[in-house]
């Protein structure tokens, strides 16, 4: 178990990682890191050679803190820093510097970076000798600098020298100035200090011949302004100050030698992420039209089709906003909000960073980022912050409650809200904007009372479609759009004709025919009818339909509450067979069979124990269900291999894919499907079919990252890798769930296919917008029981209605528009007050002893609320000794190994009597903690059984916080007893 000292040292390293990355010389420090495996060192050295020390230092730090750790690892790490010539980094680990000293050192580094083009003209060998004599650099540094100077020239050697000295201990700057004075580099000395040399009074004969007499194009303070204490400097950066290098980077490349833009230090190799610096943003005419009110400081919604450059317009508005505030001497702070984690990285690296990094500090934050610094500090230290909306909402709430250091709306000057049509009731965007609207109307009262109002940020909303909210009449559609405008406090909703840039893909709907024979489906239906008879159930809807699924889910809940185990377990199996029927209409019958077979194998496995010490009961009903599948298994497997019985949807999809790839020089497309399981199965079907391979189809699937599904989710890294391969052509056919519909910048496609999937008009517009290439097509393939053709016609009607509604709203005179907006805002504020009042009435209760949990499968009493504690405000655990006697542990292949909130797990816990899964085993800070999933229990509160309780938030009970110290003491005592 890790000691408290180890935990503290790890936190110290995490807190100072950004600074350590700038200070560490990877090759030299690695030579002294004897406590890590040799196999880990070589990849780090290779990365340092290719990407530079700053990038590779992150890997080195990760290797240092990697578990398991040997005793004394932290001391060994500090020694390695010291012996590797990184004494400044070693000092930080032993005694973190005073903030004022740290700030002064940062100013010195920035000044050297800014003036490095002039400093590169020094007599490198002379200055290097003095720096080594004064111990500003060590022997290794001296040898490297001299070698580079000999082989690559004076300026390259000077560049390496500057990299070395800025990594020195605080105080290096004054030593460096003294060395320049001693070596008679008067002109360079005056550049750094602002002092006027004697030579300037006489003429400029002492200037190095390579330095031109033109003034430097920079916004840095003039020489006179820089005179005096470094702490008083206010260094700003022009859009293109002539700096040639990043002093913390690796060996200079052609691109860095030729680049002109100063690149502020970005954590996590941001410069590499953002790619080369891009030229000034040039907008098309229609983009200028929609941006104009925002450039005047007004709140607006920009409504443009997918692929028309909304994000680029937002970057342009952001830059102009920050430029204007800087010119006025006011601070600017922009937060860009997105609703999906992958969009954070996309907006950061593809849009905002490339265009803004020369002038402003840009950072991104999401639950997927590895930054360990507080979000509050990130907001303070950067000009543009791209983050998921929930992160901002969390820190706005912290500021309101005063529990922790948070963020206020008044700290921000512009909020950009991507996919702003989500600013509706219940959505996180709306929570943020309700704070805004409430404060706005408070400000009106303050102004009447002649008090100072709280500053509020400008709002910029981006959307491809606000939708109509299910409206069937024009008036309701207008109200829906006006309500979104009100929620965003929009002065106008801006849209325009794209003219020559308008792209409308060719549309085709492929209807399917019912199978003439469906023996595979008939066997499944016969099994389901046998179960109906056994459980005395009489369904009122067609097998395989959505209505049937809803019916059987309700039956399962009612049966669990009434402790009717026969109906409950039969309902569970019926739901799986119904899913099997749906799958056989969507994907291959063999995939549907594989799904049903795996389900029954897992159910059988639940009835066995790993050590075979315990006997798990199998009821008569369970035995009947197992035997029923076993009797029909061979027949289902045989029929699943008969291609003549496959569904017509697959045949239509096959012909469409073959047509697209045969008729185009370079085909690239996306197939949207409903479920993760169907996306994976379709991808496998395409990969296994030689006809597709013959015409160059290279397919992969893309699914979501949430773990609410029984199908293993994709990690962010896996999704990013698939999208990268799709962009560069390694993959040319993507089979995706709705995760790819909205927002994600997927490379231009020639065709989009929606396979048995239609949701609403917003998703339809988003999906069509993925086909951005010339001559793109949009095809809808019907699937039995999906009703997609009818839904598509409804969506087309709604899109027409939406366009007309937006036109009518834009035609309103401003006074009438403002009046409607004010009415909706006041209504929203009043509704929010009512909602909060109801929430207070439903506040968390302390009667945890009144809650009882029983096994959902066998109805055995498991525990009460008194036994449950909560970890990290989300994980409900039961660590009581009595509870440990009630369950068994088994490995769960569907649980991906995680490392989250300080725990990792791939073990599930299950009822010792019936094998029902209860939850998973957490490993929290060295302690095994059984974590309960409430959906696996029947919950009784105050003597009444809750008919629906699938999530912990539905149980309004306040459980105590997990007492780590007490439990750790118990574990330690039991370990001593065993010893």
């Amino acid at each position: 178990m890790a000691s408290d000292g180890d935990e503290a040292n790890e936190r110290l390293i995490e807190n100072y990682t950004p600074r350590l990355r700038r200070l560490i010389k990877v090759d030299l420090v690695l030579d002294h890191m004897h406590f890590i495996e040799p196999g880990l060192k070589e990849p780090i050295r290779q990365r340092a050679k290719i990407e530079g020390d700053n990038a590779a230092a992150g890997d080195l730090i990760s290797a240092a803190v990697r578990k398991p750790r040997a005793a004394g690892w932290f001391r060994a790490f500090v020694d390695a820093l010291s012996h590797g010539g990184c004494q400044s980094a070693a000092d930080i680990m032993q005694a973190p510097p005073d903030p004022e000293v740290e700030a002064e050192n940062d100013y010195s580094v920035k000044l050297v970076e800014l003036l490095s083009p002039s400093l590169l003209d020094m007599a490198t060998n002379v200055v290097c000798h003095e720096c080594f004599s004064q111990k500003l650099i060590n022997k290794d540094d001296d040898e490297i600098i001299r070698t580079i100077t000999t082989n690559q020239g004076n300026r390259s050697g000077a560049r390496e020298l500057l990299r070395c000295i800025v990594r020195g201990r605080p105080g290096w700057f004054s030593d460096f100035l003294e060395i320049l004075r001693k070596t008679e580099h008067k002109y360079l000395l005056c550049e750094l200090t602002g002092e006027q040399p004697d030579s300037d009074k006489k003429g400029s004969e002492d200037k190095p011949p390579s330095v031109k007499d033109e003034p430097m194009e920079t916004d840095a303070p003039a020489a006179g302004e820089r005179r005096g204490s470094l702490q008083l400097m206010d260094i700003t950066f022009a859009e293109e100050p002539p700096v040639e290098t990043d002093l913390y980077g690796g060996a200079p490349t052609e691109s860095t030698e030729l680049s002109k833009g100063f690149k502020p230090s970005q954590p996590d190799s941001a410069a590499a992420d953002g790619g080369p610096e891009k030229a000034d943003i040039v907008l098309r005419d229609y983009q200028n039209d929609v941006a104009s009110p925002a450039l005047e400081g007004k709140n607006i919604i920009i409504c443009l089709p997918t692929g028309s450059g909304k994000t680029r317009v937002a970057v342009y508005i952001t830059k102009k906003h920050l430029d204007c505030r800087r010119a006025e001497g006011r601070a600017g702070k922009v937060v860009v909000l997105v609703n999906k984690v992958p969009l954070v990285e996309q907006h950061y690296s593809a849009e905002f960073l490339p265009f803004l990094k020369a002038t402003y500090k840009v950072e991104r934050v999401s639950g997927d980022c590895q930054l360990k610094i507080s979000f509050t500090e990130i907001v303070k230290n950067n000009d543009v912050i791209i983050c998921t909306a929930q992160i901002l909402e969390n820190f706005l709430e912290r500021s309101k409650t005063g529990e922790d250091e948070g963020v206020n709306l008044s700290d921000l000057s512009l909020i950009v809200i991507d996919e702003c049509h989500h600013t509706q009731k219940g959505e996180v965007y709306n929570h943020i904007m309700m704070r805004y609207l409430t404060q706005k109307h408070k400000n009106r009262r303050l102004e009447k009372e002649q008090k100072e109002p709280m500053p509020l940020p400008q709002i910029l909303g981006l959307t491809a479609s606000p939708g109509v909210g299910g409206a069937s009449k024009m008036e309701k559609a207008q109200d829906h759009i006006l309500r979104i405008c009100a929620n965003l406090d929009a002065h106008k909703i801006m849209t325009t004709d794209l003219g020559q840039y308008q792209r409308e893909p060719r549309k085709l709907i492929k209807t399917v025919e019912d199978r003439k024979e469906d023996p595979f489906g008939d066997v499944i239906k016969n099994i389901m009818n046998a179960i109906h008879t056994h459980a005395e159930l009489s369904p009122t809807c067609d097998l395989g339909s959505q209505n049937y699924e809803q019916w059987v889910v309700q039956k399962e809940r009612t049966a669990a509450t009434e402790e009717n185990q026969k109906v409950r377990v039969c309902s569970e199996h019926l739901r799986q067979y119904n899913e099997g029927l749906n799958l056989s209409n969507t994907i291959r019958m063999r995939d549907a069979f594989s799904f049903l077979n795996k389900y029954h194998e897992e159910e059988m496995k639940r009835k066995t124990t790993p050590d075979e010490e315990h006997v798990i009961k199998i009821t008569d009903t369970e035995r009947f269900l197992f035997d029923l599948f076993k009797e029909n298994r061979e027949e289902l497997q045989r029929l699943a291999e008969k291609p003549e019985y496959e569904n017509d949807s697959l045949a239509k999809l096959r012909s469409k894919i073959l047509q697209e790839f045969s008729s185009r020089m370079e085909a690239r497309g996306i197939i949207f499907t409903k479920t993760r399981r169907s996306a994976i199965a379709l991808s496998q079907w395409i990969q296994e079919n030689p006809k597709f391979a013959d015409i160059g189809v290279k397919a992969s699937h893309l699914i979501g990252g949430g773990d609410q599904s029984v199908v293993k989710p994709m990690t962010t890294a896996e999704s990013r890798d698939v999208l990268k391969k799709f962009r560069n052509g390694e993959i040319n056919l993507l089979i995706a769930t709705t995760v790819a519909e909205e927002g994600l910048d997927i490379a231009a496609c020639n065709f989009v296919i929606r396979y048995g999937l239609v949701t609403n008009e917003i998703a339809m517009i988003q999906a069509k917008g993925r086909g951005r290439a010339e001559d793109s097509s949009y095809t809808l393939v019907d699937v039995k029981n999906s009703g997609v053709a009818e839904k598509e016609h409804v969506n087309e009607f709604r899109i027409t209605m939406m366009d007309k509604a937006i036109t009518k709203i834009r035609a309103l005179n401003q006074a009438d528009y403002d009046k409607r907006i004010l009415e909706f805002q006041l209504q929203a504020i009043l509704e929010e007050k009512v909602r909060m009042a109801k929430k207070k009435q439903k506040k968390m209760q302390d009667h945890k002893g009144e809650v009882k949990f029983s096994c959902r499968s066998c109805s055995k009493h498991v525990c009460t609320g008194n036994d449950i504690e909560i970890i990290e405000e989300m994980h409900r655990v039961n660590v009581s000794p009595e509870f440990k006697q009630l369950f068994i542990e088994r490995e769960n292949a569907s649980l991906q190994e995680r490392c989250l909130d300080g725990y990792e797990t791939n073990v599930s816990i299950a009822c010792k009597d019936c094998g029902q899964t209860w939850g998973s085993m957490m490993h929290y800070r060295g302690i095994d903690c059984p974590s309960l999933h409430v959906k696996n229990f029947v919950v009784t509160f105050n003597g009444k059984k809750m008919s629906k309780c699938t999530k912990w938030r539905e149980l309004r009970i306040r459980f105590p916080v997990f007492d780590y110290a007490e439990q750790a003491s118990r574990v330690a005592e039991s370990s001593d007893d065993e010893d």
Side-chain angles (χ1 to χ4, degrees):
M1 197 190 316
S3 69
D4 289 343
D6 277 354
E7 296 287 341
N9 290 331
E10 185 175 356
R11 285 195 297 272
L12 177 67
I13 292 173
E14 288 176 348
N15 291 339
Y16 281 92
T17 289
R19 186 168 292 277
L20 290 175
R21 288 175 62 158
R22 298 198 300 264
L23 296 174
I24 288 176
K25 306 167 190 173
V26 172
D27 243 0
L28 300 180
V29 174
L30 273 177
D31 288 341
H32 300 279
M33 290 181 66
H34 308 300
F35 58 96
I36 67 172
E37 301 167 14
L40 292 175
K41 292 184 179 182
E42 191 53 34
I44 300 173
R45 291 190 196 276
Q46 289 301 319
R47 189 173 184 191
K49 289 177 183 176
I50 298 168
E51 299 179 41
D53 279 343
N54 192 23
D59 295 347
L60 183 148
I61 293 167
S62 298
V65 301
R66 184 177 179 179
K67 296 178 182 177
R69 295 186 285 247
W73 67 273
F74 180 74
R75 182 67 258 168
F77 177 59
V78 175
D79 289 343
L81 293 175
S82 181
H83 297 320
C86 302
Q87 192 58 53
S88 182
D91 291 346
I92 290 173
M93 291 293 93
Q94 295 174 95
D98 181 87
E100 290 185 6
V101 173
E102 203 171 11
E104 184 166 350
N105 186 68
D106 286 346
Y107 275 128
S108 304
V109 172
K110 286 181 180 179
L111 186 61
V112 170
E113 287 180 329
L114 190 64
L115 298 176
S116 62
S118 299
L119 297 176
L120 296 182
D121 289 308
M122 70 175 75
T124 304
N125 283 332
V126 175
V127 176
C128 180
H129 174 75
E130 288 299 323
C131 287
F132 177 59
S133 300
Q134 299 298 321
K135 297 186 178 178
L136 209 55
I137 59 175
N138 61 24
K139 187 174 182 180
D140 287 327
D141 293 332
D142 180 64
E143 290 176 0
I144 291 169
I145 293 163
R146 292 185 182 279
T147 301
I148 290 175
T149 303
T150 302
N151 296 334
Q152 300 178 32
N154 190 77
R155 290 174 64 85
S156 295
R159 187 179 290 110
E160 184 63 26
L161 174 58
L162 293 176
R163 282 198 193 99
C164 294
I165 63 170
V166 298
R167 290 174 170 136
R169 286 173 158 175
W172 61 267
F173 185 76
S174 56
D175 291 340
F176 182 55
L177 293 179
E178 188 56 38
I179 288 169
L180 291 179
R181 184 175 284 109
K182 184 176 179 180
T183 55
E184 298 185 345
H185 286 77
K186 296 178 182 178
Y187 177 74
L188 301 184
L189 187 65
C190 94
E191 283 286 289
L192 288 171
T193 62
E195 298 172 2
Q196 189 177 20
D198 293 338
S199 58
D200 277 1
K201 298 172 187 176
K202 301 171 187 175
S204 56
E205 60 270 22
D206 285 347
K207 287 186 183 181
S210 62
V211 179
K212 297 181 181 179
D213 292 332
E214 289 87 17
M216 287 181 67
E217 294 180 12
T218 177
D219 284 344
E225 293 172 339
R226 289 200 304 266
R227 192 177 292 118
S229 170
L230 280 170
Q231 290 178 322
L232 301 178
M233 288 186 192
D234 180 19
I235 301 176
T236 56
F237 304 106
E239 288 186 28
E240 292 189 340
V243 178
E244 295 187 344
T245 184
D246 172 0
L247 294 177
Y248 294 128
T253 63
E254 182 180 353
S255 60
T256 55
E257 289 279 63
L258 299 175
S259 69
K260 289 186 176 181
F262 174 75
K263 302 174 183 177
S265 176
Q266 297 284 350
D268 295 329
S269 303
D273 290 344
E277 183 185 325
K278 295 190 179 179
D280 285 342
I281 306 166
V282 178
L283 299 185
R284 293 169 175 168
D285 290 344
Y286 72 84
Q287 293 172 324
N288 273 312
D289 290 343
V290 296
S292 56
L295 299 177
E296 298 169 7
K298 293 184 173 70
N299 295 352
I300 64 167
I301 295 172
I302 293 178
C303 180
L304 290 175
T306 301
S308 58
K310 292 185 297 296
T311 310
R312 186 65 50 83
V313 176
V315 177
Y316 181 80
I317 292 169
T318 296
K319 186 174 187 306
K320 293 300 179 185
H321 171 86
L322 292 171
D323 289 347
C324 182
R325 292 185 73 91
R326 178 177 283 183
E328 294 170 355
R330 296 188 295 161
K333 192 77 63 180
V334 181
V335 169
V336 181
L337 300 180
V338 298
N339 62 333
K340 292 180 181 177
V341 171
L343 293 178
V344 174
E345 187 63 36
Q346 174 183 299
H347 285 344
Y348 172 78
S349 59
E351 293 289 348
F352 284 87
L353 182 63
F355 286 106
L356 300 179
K357 64 182 177 181
T359 319
Y360 299 105
K361 290 184 177 179
V362 185
E363 188 52 273
R364 81 287 207 194
V365 188
S366 72
D368 198 50
C369 291
Q370 300 302 311
L371 296 172
K372 301 298 182 183
I373 188 171
S374 157
F375 179 70
T376 307
E377 288 301 309
I378 289 173
V379 171
K380 285 180 182 176
N381 297 328
N382 291 278
D383 304 300
V384 181
I385 303 95
I386 303 159
C387 65
T388 43
Q390 191 60 56
I391 289 177
L392 178 62
E393 167 63 10
N394 292 345
F395 279 82
L396 289 171
E397 180 63 21
R398 288 189 186 188
S399 179
K400 178 184 174 184
T401 59
E403 295 176 5
D404 197 355
E405 188 178 11
V407 174
N408 294 304
L409 285 172
S410 57
D411 298 331
L412 313 175
S413 59
L414 171 64
I415 299 179
V416 179
I417 301 181
D418 191 36
E419 309 295 350
C420 70
H421 52 269
H422 291 296
T423 314
Q424 301 185 55
K425 282 183 185 178
E427 303 269 6
V428 65
Y429 283 163
N430 209 45
H431 295 162
I432 293 169
M433 287 309 302
M434 280 309 304
R435 297 178 189 276
Y436 178 101
L437 294 178
T438 303
Q439 187 58 52
K440 178 187 173 182
H441 289 277
K442 279 183 184 177
N443 282 352
R444 289 185 176 180
R445 190 186 69 230
L446 292 172
E447 287 170 354
K448 288 178 182 177
E449 297 170 357
Q450 296 185 330
K451 294 180 180 177
E452 187 71 24
M454 187 181 95
L456 286 171
Q458 181 184 350
I459 304 296
L460 172 62
L462 308 175
T463 182
S465 166
V468 296
S472 57
K473 295 181 179 179
M474 179 63 66
E475 183 182 351
K476 295 293 184 184
Q478 284 182 248
D479 284 352
H480 170 79
I481 296 169
L482 281 168
R483 190 170 279 110
I484 291 176
C485 292
N487 290 344
L488 288 158
D489 196 35
H491 172 74
K492 283 184 178 179
I493 179 168
M494 301 299 296
T495 188
T496 187
D497 181 9
L498 269 58
Q500 63 176 312
Y501 302 106
Q502 182 76 46
R503 289 199 187 100
E504 189 65 29
R506 291 178 288 107
K507 183 173 180 180
L508 180 67
I509 297 179
K510 286 189 173 287
T511 56
V512 298
E513 298 177 5
D514 272 347
R515 293 178 172 102
K516 293 177 181 178
E517 291 183 85
D518 184 15
F520 181 84
D522 292 340
V523 173
I524 293 178
K525 289 177 182 177
N526 290 336
I527 293 173
M528 294 173 77
N529 285 325
I531 297 173
H532 293 152
T533 303
H534 178 84
E536 300 177 0
L537 292 171
S538 301
T540 56
C541 35
D542 293 336
L543 306 188
S545 67
Q546 184 71 31
N547 289 338
Y548 181 89
E549 181 172 348
Q550 293 169 356
W551 173 81
V552 80
V553 166
Q554 187 56 50
K555 285 293 180 186
E556 192 278 334
R557 286 177 182 162
T558 304
T561 305
E562 296 174 352
E563 297 185 11
N564 185 340
Q565 297 306 334
K566 176 191 279 190
V567 173
R568 188 201 63 78
V569 71
C570 284
S571 297
E572 279 190 353
H573 280 249
L574 285 170
R575 187 179 180 186
Q576 303 306 317
Y577 282 117
N578 197 64
E579 176 67 6
L581 271 180
N582 283 325
L583 290 173
S584 74
N585 289 327
T586 308
I587 52 182
R588 294 175 297 183
M589 292 182 294
R590 69 164 68 167
D591 296 314
F593 170 76
S594 176
F595 159 72
L596 291 172
N597 191 52
K598 184 178 180 182
Y599 171 73
H600 279 84
E601 286 178 351
E602 290 296 326
E603 287 298 297
M604 289 296 294
K605 196 180 293 182
R606 277 175 48 185
K607 297 300 176 181
T608 59
T609 57
D611 52 12
E612 298 184 357
E613 289 182 6
H614 306 288
V615 177
I616 294 179
K617 298 175 186 174
I618 299 179
T619 65
D620 291 341
T621 294
E622 288 171 333
R623 188 169 285 107
F624 163 77
L625 292 168
F626 292 148
D627 290 344
L628 187 59
F629 180 75
K630 189 176 179 181
E631 290 165 9
N632 290 278
R633 184 182 181 282
E634 287 187 11
E635 179 67 2
L636 283 171
Q637 188 171 20
R638 183 184 69 80
L639 292 170
E641 299 300 328
K642 300 279 188 180
E644 62 267 29
Y645 299 135
E646 284 289 11
N647 64 72
D648 191 40
S649 300
L650 268 183
K652 291 288 195 296
L653 181 62
R654 181 191 297 114
S655 66
K656 183 60 184 172
I657 296 171
L658 292 172
Q659 177 196 339
E660 291 289 348
F661 277 89
S662 301
S663 61
R664 298 178 186 272
M665 290 293 293
E666 284 190 26
R668 183 175 301 187
I670 305 177
I671 300 171
F672 288 106
T673 186
K674 189 174 181 179
T675 66
R676 294 178 179 182
R677 187 174 283 112
S678 62
I680 295 169
L682 287 172
S683 178
Q684 290 173 343
W685 167 63
I686 292 168
Q687 290 168 9
E688 293 169 9
N689 192 319
K691 284 187 179 179
F692 292 131
D694 290 344
I695 57 172
V697 180
K698 295 169 285 187
S700 183
H701 64 272
L702 179 69
I703 61 177
D707 60 359
Q708 75 279 7
S709 168
V710 291
V711 179
K712 180 182 175 182
M714 256 186 165
T715 65
T716 303
E718 288 170 337
S719 299
R720 192 183 297 129
D721 183 55
V722 169
L723 288 172
K724 180 181 177 183
K725 289 179 179 177
F726 189 62
R727 289 190 183 99
N728 64 28
E730 290 180 61
I731 294 168
N732 54 21
L733 182 60
L734 209 55
I735 300 93
T737 55
T738 54
V739 68
E741 277 184 342
E742 189 171 289
L744 287 181
D745 181 22
I746 296 173
C749 301
N750 340 83
F751 68 94
V752 172
I753 301 172
R754 279 169 75 81
Y755 184 67
L757 172 67
V758 169
T759 46
N760 59 22
E761 70 280 7
I762 296 174
M764 177 179 166
I765 290 173
Q766 298 277 6
K768 287 173 71 175
R770 297 297 133 212
R772 301 183 185 183
E774 294 291 341
D775 191 33
S776 61
S777 68
Y778 171 79
T779 305
L780 185 71
V781 178
D782 201 356
V783 168
K784 186 178 179 180
N785 293 330
S786 66
V788 294
E790 295 82 359
K791 292 176 185 176
E792 186 80 357
H793 291 312
V794 171
N795 285 339
E796 287 173 345
F797 167 74
R798 287 175 173 170
I799 290 170
T800 302
M801 185 192 297
M802 179 192 74
D803 292 339
K804 289 179 179 178
I806 292 174
T807 301
K808 283 180 175 289
I809 290 169
R810 286 178 52 76
L812 290 172
N813 69 57
Q814 197 63 43
D816 290 340
Y817 172 87
D818 290 343
K819 183 181 178 184
R820 297 286 303 277
I821 292 299
L822 179 59
E823 288 171 357
F824 281 123
Q825 288 180 345
L826 293 173
Q827 179 185 341
I829 291 170
L830 292 175
E831 288 175 351
E832 180 70 5
K833 286 183 178 179
V834 171
R835 189 184 71 82
M836 293 305 294
K838 287 182 178 178
K839 187 176 178 181
K840 286 181 180 178
Q841 292 173 0
K842 291 183 180 179
K843 64 182 179 181
M844 302 292 278
Q845 301 180 47
D846 291 313
H847 309 300
K848 58 183 184 296
E850 301 297 324
V851 184
K852 295 180 173 60
F853 300 89
S854 55
C855 177
R856 195 171 189 86
S857 178
C858 66
S859 304
K860 176 179 69 177
H861 173 73
V862 175
C863 64
T864 71
N866 288 328
D867 302 313
I868 292 178
E869 297 173 288
I870 188 166
I871 294 175
E872 303 288 355
E873 299 182 359
M874 67 175 79
H875 308 291
R876 276 75 174 179
V877 300
N878 185 345
V879 292
S880 65
E882 297 80 11
F883 182 65
K884 289 183 179 178
Q885 304 306 313
L886 302 179
F887 66 80
I888 56 173
E889 296 181 26
R890 56 164 65 105
E891 285 195 13
N892 188 341
S894 66
L895 274 177
Q896 64 181 123
E897 194 167 314
R898 309 178 217 174
C899 186
L900 180 66
D901 298 327
Y903 73 89
E904 50 189 32
T905 177
N906 62 353
V907 173
S908 62
I909 61 172
C911 177
K912 188 178 284 187
D913 289 348
C914 69
Q916 167 71 42
T917 299
W918 284 351
S920 55
M921 184 65 75
M922 290 175 58
H923 188 69
Y924 179 70
R925 295 169 65 185
I927 300 176
D928 287 336
C929 302
S931 175
L932 309 186
H933 301 172
V934 71
K935 66 181 180 181
N936 297 319
F937 300 90
V938 174
V939 182
T940 305
F941 181 54
N942 283 335
K944 293 179 66 176
K945 289 177 180 173
M946 299 178 66
S947 60
K948 182 186 177 186
C949 190
T950 58
K951 297 176 182 175
W952 280 108
R953 65 169 175 264
E954 294 167 351
L955 184 60
R956 308 294 294 174
I957 298 295
R958 184 184 292 107
F959 296 108
V961 175
F962 179 67
D963 192 333
Y964 177 79
E966 180 183 346
Q967 188 61 24
S969 298
R970 286 183 194 167
V971 173
E973 288 171 8
S974 64
S975 298
D976 292 342
D977 294 341
E978 290 173 8
D979 292 341

